Amino acid sequence: MVQTVAYLKEKGLRTEGMFRRSVRVQITKDVQKLYNLGKPVNFDLYQDVHVPAVILKTFLRELPEPLLTFRVSQESINNKMSASNLACVFGVNLVWPRHGSISLNALTPINIFTEILIEHFNTVFGSRCSPAQVTP
């Protein structure tokens, strides 16, 4: 995935619709097969910057669990890692400033945001309904 992200950073950041467009399923399968065989992928051959974007999204979607796992905080009785503790650890690894280091003033909102994601993962990530169907 390092190669995929590097390619996107180099050639895709100014592409309109990045991460919103799809590519042919067979192309996705072909690239996945190359990666699964440990072979490098030359994305220039596809002449479509949406290919690596789809590959990245597919990789993340096909993980056995999401990056913010379902059992992140459910074992807190044993491991003492409550949603709040996890937020303190992971928040600064999910969000950081463009330049310099995170100020102490920024830590609290970042941690609160991350804690909300952890505590309400099912609501945030599990909804299959349209935004109009979601009630506040």
Side-chain angles (χ1 to χ4, degrees):
M1 286 297 95
V2 171
Q3 178 193 3
T4 302
V5 171
Y7 188 89
L8 287 170
K9 284 174 69 175
E10 180 185 341
K11 300 194 177 180
L13 295 181
R14 295 182 182 262
T15 302
E16 186 175 335
M18 183 56 59
F19 298 109
R20 289 186 287 166
R21 306 233 352 245
S22 61
V23 298
R24 286 190 8 245
V25 173
Q26 189 58 50
I27 291 174
T28 303
K29 288 181 179 183
D30 291 345
V31 172
Q32 285 177 309
K33 184 177 181 179
L34 288 171
Y35 274 142
N36 289 338
L37 293 171
K39 297 183 178 181
V41 175
N42 182 353
F43 286 114
D44 288 329
L45 296 176
Y46 298 97
Q47 298 180 342
D48 184 357
V49 75
H50 297 286
V51 171
V54 167
I55 291 298
L56 178 59
K57 289 189 329 184
T58 302
F59 172 79
L60 293 171
R61 184 175 49 250
E62 291 180 354
L63 289 171
E65 289 192 25
L67 290 178
L68 295 174
T69 67
F70 301 125
R71 297 180 297 236
V72 164
S73 62
Q74 294 174 350
E75 294 294 329
S76 63
I77 291 173
N78 298 316
N79 63 25
K80 308 300 185 222
M81 293 304 290
S82 64
S84 179
N85 289 342
L86 289 166
C88 290
V89 173
F90 285 108
V92 295
N93 294 301
L94 296 173
V95 182
W96 57 82
R98 181 179 306 264
H99 303 290
S101 59
I102 294 179
S103 70
L104 292 176
N105 291 337
L107 283 177
T108 299
I110 289 170
N111 291 347
I112 291 170
F113 167 74
T114 307
E115 186 173 350
I116 289 169
L117 289 178
I118 293 169
E119 287 183 341
H120 302 284
F121 71 88
N122 196 32
T123 303
V124 174
F125 299 107
S127 177
R128 295 281 188 232
C129 51
S130 69
Q133 294 174 307
V134 177
T135 56

